[in-house]
Amino acid sequence: MAQPPAFGTIGVVEGFYGRVWSEDEREAFLAGIAGFGLNTYLYAPKHEAALGPALLEPLDKAASQRLHRLHHACEARGIALWAGLHLEPPFDAGLA
């Protein structure tokens, strides 16, 4: 068993461009980081419309169920799930 982290929050950011991970790949990754004693997972893949362009729209049923499964996969491993938003115009207009 891994030692608890010296920091209160330590983890990994999933926020890349490229091939999207399957749910099975993501769950295997979560098991791996839990094994290293990491306790936080920041979910921010660029393909996730619900975290960007469609942020203000209701989630469709499939997206809602997928995010719900991700939440439970993290919770079962003692990992906090955070969501990273990738805001694009018009959300960031005037912030510069």
Side-chain angles (χ1 to χ4, degrees):
M1 178 121 169
Q3 292 292 326
F7 301 97
T9 301
I10 187 167
V12 175
V13 175
E14 177 190 345
F16 53 85
Y17 296 94
R19 189 181 69 76
V20 177
W21 288 352
S22 70
E23 286 188 53
D24 289 340
E25 289 172 318
R26 191 171 285 112
E27 285 201 33
F29 183 76
L30 291 171
I33 68 172
F36 282 108
L38 304 181
N39 62 14
T40 305
Y41 181 65
L42 177 60
Y43 178 69
K46 305 302 184 241
H47 78 281
E48 182 63 72
L51 300 177
L55 180 65
L56 301 178
E57 298 173 19
L59 286 176
D60 63 37
K61 186 173 181 176
S64 178
Q65 290 173 340
R66 184 173 32 79
L67 293 173
H68 191 73
R69 286 190 300 271
L70 176 59
H71 166 75
H72 283 289
C74 288
E75 188 175 58
R77 293 167 176 83
I79 296 172
L81 173 62
W82 296 357
L85 307 179
H86 47 97
L87 303 179
E88 300 171 5
F91 302 111
D92 63 356
L95 295 179

